[in-house]
């Protein structure tokens, strides 16, 4: 499918830079997706795109290498 921006890009002081690890958590509550970084609430969005279907994906634009440790996706 097509890529869609759901939340405009914003910087956050809770995101660790460089090689420091970050923990990303997304919780669903009804039609809301609630985002946490490193255990701190970041934002929430309403699922207007019917994201209950499809595949999960992660994207970065500021680095050429991304490493995941203990990646877990639950439905």
């Amino acid at each position: 499918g097509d890529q869609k921006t759901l939340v405009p890009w914003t910087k956050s002081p809770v995101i660790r830079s460089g090689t420091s690890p970050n923990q990303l958590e997304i919780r669903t509550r009804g039609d809301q997706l609630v985002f946490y970084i490193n255990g701190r609430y970041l934002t929430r969005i309403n699922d207007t795109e019917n994201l209950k279907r499809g595949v999960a994906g992660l994207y970065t634009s500021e680095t050429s290498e991304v490493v995941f440790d203990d990646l877990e996706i639950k439905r």
Side-chain angles (χ1 to χ4, degrees):
D2 295 325
Q3 177 178 313
K4 296 180 182 182
T5 299
L6 301 176
V7 178
W9 174 258
T10 56
K11 290 189 179 233
S12 172
V14 302
I15 299 173
R16 300 177 190 126
S17 62
T19 59
S20 299
N22 286 283
Q23 180 183 26
L24 170 64
E25 181 178 352
I26 305 168
R27 299 178 190 171
T28 58
R29 294 181 184 162
D31 65 346
Q32 288 190 337
L33 290 99
V34 185
F35 293 81
Y36 296 84
I37 300 285
N38 300 320
R40 296 189 52 196
Y41 169 80
L42 197 62
T43 192
R44 74 179 61 222
I45 63 170
N46 287 323
D47 179 5
T48 59
E49 300 291 332
N50 194 22
L51 299 174
K52 295 174 188 161
R53 301 183 156 209
V55 295
L58 300 171
Y59 171 80
T60 181
S61 63
E62 295 196 15
T63 186
S64 59
E65 183 176 324
V66 177
V67 178
F68 297 97
D69 182 18
D70 297 325
L71 177 63
E72 183 177 341
I73 300 174
K74 296 180 184 178
R75 186 174 289 265

